Amino acid sequence: EIRLSLVGSEMCIRDRSRRLRKKNNTHKALLHAAKKLFEEKGLGNVTIDEISEAADVSRSTFFTHFNSLDDLMEQIAAEEINDLVSVFEESEQEVSISALIDKLVDDTIPYPYLTGNLLMRGILCKGESSFSKIYDIAAERIKTHAAYAKLLETFTPEELSAYILGAYFGIVFQRFIKNKPFDDVEIKQSIDKFINYLKR
């Protein structure tokens, strides 16, 4: 009887684990489908039905994961930021500002139009933007890094963080304005030059 009870418990745990994996995979599929469609068609031109179809799920399944398209967009922004933040929180060594920017470029350049839209939504929203986490990480790194000591006599860590992140978003917007390709290597090199110049 005890053995049967243990077997039943193990099967229950495996079933729950399988359901959770399936739910997580569906959630990721919806996020990925939405990012791709938003990038191709623009934020205002994508419907819930199109996202559900691209993710190969029903409309009702969409609503078990998101309350609305706005909720979906907020979760896309939060996921990008949380992925970025986790790299820094899980690292045993101090990660440089250049590495922060490189990771930001890797995560956002495949979806430049979506990133630009989400950034503007985040900045213009009431309350704290999810992008503020990146800003805070950069300010903390600047505060403790010897290479910025001279600059910190004139600027606060928050100001320097704003300048460096502003350089990244400035380059992204410059590419929009000039209709230039979003070359991740070129963007990383350009921002690295700026960071190294600041450190001198």
Side-chain angles (χ1 to χ4, degrees):
E1 237 178 80
I2 292 171
R3 194 178 299 152
L4 283 172
S5 174
L6 287 171
V7 169
S9 294
E10 283 176 22
M11 286 174 65
C12 246
I13 291 167
R14 276 201 302 270
D15 283 348
R16 255 182 283 155
S17 177
R18 191 173 21 254
R19 280 197 302 272
L20 186 60
R21 268 197 318 273
K22 188 175 177 188
K23 185 177 179 182
N24 287 339
N25 288 340
T26 300
H27 195 81
K28 284 178 188 170
L30 283 162
L31 288 171
H32 179 71
K35 284 197 282 190
K36 198 165 180 249
L37 285 166
F38 286 144
E39 186 62 25
E40 288 169 5
K41 300 176 78 172
L43 290 186
N45 302 317
V46 178
T47 65
I48 289 169
D49 288 334
E50 287 173 318
I51 294 166
S52 303
E53 187 177 327
D56 198 25
V57 298
S58 68
R59 183 183 169 87
S60 61
T61 298
F62 175 95
F63 285 106
T64 63
H65 292 267
F66 309 103
N67 297 326
S68 62
L69 280 175
D70 276 347
D71 180 35
L72 167 66
M73 285 185 269
E74 282 171 26
Q75 287 197 43
I76 288 171
E79 182 194 47
E80 294 299 333
I81 302 304
N82 291 336
D83 283 352
L84 194 65
V85 170
S86 68
V87 169
F88 290 84
E89 289 176 343
E90 291 165 13
S91 174
E92 292 176 13
Q93 300 175 336
E94 186 162 314
V95 182
S96 70
I97 300 295
S98 290
L100 171 69
I101 296 296
D102 285 354
K103 179 69 177 141
L104 183 61
V105 170
D106 288 340
D107 285 357
T108 57
I109 289 304
Y111 306 101
Y113 292 93
L114 176 60
T115 298
N117 274 290
L118 291 176
L119 173 67
M120 292 314 295
R121 283 170 61 94
I123 290 170
L124 298 174
C125 74
K126 291 182 179 175
E128 192 172 59
S129 163
S130 55
F131 283 95
S132 68
K133 290 181 185 176
I134 301 171
Y135 171 86
D136 292 341
I137 289 172
E140 278 304 309
R141 293 293 185 269
I142 288 165
K143 201 184 294 181
T144 58
H145 201 292
Y148 297 98
K150 187 75 178 156
L151 279 166
L152 289 170
E153 292 172 13
T154 308
F155 302 101
T156 67
E158 290 74 22
E159 286 173 325
L160 291 172
S161 172
Y163 298 147
I164 291 168
L165 289 172
Y168 164 68
F169 289 113
I171 288 169
V172 169
F173 286 125
Q174 181 241 5
R175 276 163 162 62
F176 282 128
I177 293 163
K178 296 290 186 182
N179 199 24
K180 291 174 76 176
F182 290 87
D183 183 317
D184 58 336
V185 174
E186 200 179 295
I187 290 171
K188 287 177 186 178
Q189 288 172 345
S190 181
I191 298 166
D192 273 346
K193 275 195 293 187
F194 177 67
I195 291 170
N196 290 330
Y197 178 78
L198 285 178
K199 288 197 245 181
R200 285 203 307 267

